[in-house]
Amino acid sequence: MTRAAADPAILIHGAWQGAWVWDRLIPLLARNCGIVPVAVDLPGNGKDAVKPANVSLDMYVAHVGGVLKRLGRRASLVAHSGGGIVASAVAERFPEQISRIAYVAGMMLPDGMAFADLVAEAKPDHPDAAGVGPHLVWSHDRLTSRVPIQVALAYFFHDCPTADAALAAQKLTPQPDRGRAIRARLTPKRFGRIPRLYVEAEADRAVIPPLQRRMQALVPGADVVTLPTGHAPHLAAPRLLADVLTPFLTGSEDGPAFATRELKDRKLDARDVEHADGASGSHRRFRGRK
């Protein structure tokens, strides 16, 4: 029997970034079972003429909705960091068109919660929860912020190859705050019915692991894979990320949300595999080639 082609995967970047951040992952997903990746540039990130004052979560959702319309079929979403809030909102708006969501160190927040709320809750026990927040440089009108290169190297790209890290830090652009301080309104009947995978980055300094795990508890039901990387596994270990994304992105709609058998069969050189099946989903930890 011929297996149906995998749904295309829309790749949604996080704050201060752009579609370029997925460049090392895209050919790997395309080679793995013919996934067609479509990386988007969210409005106002420097690739268009959208003014920072006009940026909003609704604008981001409409932009991804336009990509869905052009594709003309159901698609998966892969979202990094703050792009996770956008992915959740897109799934709420277009649930019939979204097959699944993979959050890569992503902000998988519950209905009405902003990332700042999560950080404020965690700071008494985790003073480092603010990540890059205290180091941002703001425009005079406070409409945009930017991440200094040395801060980006320390918090986002510390485990990436040196040349790649330097280039990525230089590519970061000012981020409209109206596209960063956002809250998605979500319902169980729409967003809640979409299968989800959470890719933990256990050496993350921007969205620290306690925050990632708190989001998993607040929005239960996602399967979890833990990778030994910092905040940007798509730059630090793109092959490893592709290997763990592929079974999820190519899973049957009639099967489990996360194809655990395929993951176990992958040649990941897995030295540490943790199983914790339960109501919150399955949890597996992988280490292997980058």
Side-chain angles (χ1 to χ4, degrees), residues 232-269:
H234 40 323
L235 289 173
R239 288 178 183 155
L240 183 57
L241 179 60
D243 280 342
V244 299
L245 283 176
T246 297
F248 179 72
L249 296 178
T250 59
S252 167
E253 290 182 16
D254 298 324
F258 185 44
T260 54
R261 181 187 61 79
E262 291 187 39
L263 264 180
K264 288 166 68 178
D265 291 344
R266 292 252 170 220
K267 295 180 179 179
L268 290 180
D269 220 10

Side-chain angles (χ1 to χ4, degrees), residues 127-191:
D128 55 344
V132 300
H135 308 288
L136 298 178
V137 176
W138 290 86
S139 60
H140 293 300
D141 56 13
R142 302 286 295 185
L143 288 176
T144 64
S145 63
R146 63 180 180 85
V147 182
I149 288 177
Q150 291 304 316
V151 174
L153 292 173
Y155 283 84
F156 292 162
F157 311 125
H158 62 91
D159 62 331
C160 298
T162 302
D164 292 343
L167 182 60
Q170 292 168 10
K171 284 186 173 182
L172 297 179
T173 55
Q175 169 68 36
D177 201 50
R178 294 187 180 184
R180 189 176 74 94
I182 52 181
R183 306 167 189 265
R185 300 316 309 253
L186 309 172
T187 62
K189 290 185 178 180
R190 297 176 72 84
F191 163 77

Side-chain angles (χ1 to χ4, degrees), residues 74 87-88 90-101 103 186-197 219-222 248 252-257:
R74 286 164 60 91
S88 298
V90 169
E92 177 70 21
R93 179 82 61 87
F94 308 106
E96 296 83 5
Q97 295 172 256
I98 303 303
S99 301
R100 53 190 70 79
I101 309 172
Y103 297 84
L186 309 172
T187 62
K189 290 185 178 180
R190 297 176 72 84
F191 163 77
R193 74 195 207 203
I194 309 298
R196 289 172 287 118
L197 170 68
V219 191
F248 179 72
S252 167
E253 290 182 16
D254 298 324

Side-chain angles (χ1 to χ4, degrees), residues 3 16 86 147 164 220 281:
R3 185 174 185 172
W16 306 287
V86 180
V147 182
D164 292 343

